[in-house]
Amino acid sequence: MRARAKKDLGDISGSVEDWSRAVALQPKSPWLHYNLAGIKSDYGDKPGAINAYREAIFLLESIKTQHGDQWEAQCSYGSRGCLELLGDALYFRAKNLGIVGDSKAAMADFSQVIYIAPNEGMRGSAYVGRAEIHFRLGNINAARADCRQSVNLVPNELLSKSRSVLLNMQSSATTNCAF
């Protein structure tokens, strides 16, 4: 796809334009909105990314409502199904919401990922995201609890991220957790 090639070549604004055109041609495609959101986030347009993730999530939830238990059969995006795409869209929207300072909405999205995620890695990453927000808000005990949850789910993948959060909590109450 041309939009991906443009991104790979460093033409981020051209990639945004191509994804935007694709969305205009197929506005009911959650996958296209998801990809537009990702490139907007990479480009630094966090509010635009949040809106595109919101539309992808809305479309995926509409598919789920319309097709019930059979919704996974209604969409396939490469090796990814609707549930995985929904989890990723919620996770990345939460990351962007955290960046723009909407901690409450970010926390709600991370919590939803923990609830619906089809795999432990995704749930573990959402716990780390929640831990970071708890830490920024000064909720140290809640941050520690979420770090421990992430390590319990996926010890090898998330141990270093959770240790980073925990070490920052121990060294300074004002240190920002960035990972």
Side-chain angles (χ1 to χ4, degrees), residues 41-60:
S41 180
D42 291 348
Y43 193 56
D45 179 6
K46 302 306 182 187
I50 292 165
N51 287 334
Y53 283 127
R54 184 174 290 122
E55 186 63 22
I57 292 163
F58 171 78
L59 291 168
L60 287 162

Side-chain angles (χ1 to χ4, degrees), residues 131-141 143-144 164-177:
E132 184 178 41
I133 291 173
H134 281 307
F135 177 66
R136 282 190 212 146
L137 296 174
N139 303 329
I140 305 303
N141 289 335
R144 284 188 180 120
S164 171
V165 174
L166 290 169
L167 287 173
N168 283 331
M169 282 184 247
Q170 291 171 354
S171 65
S172 168
T174 60
T175 302
N176 186 4
C177 299

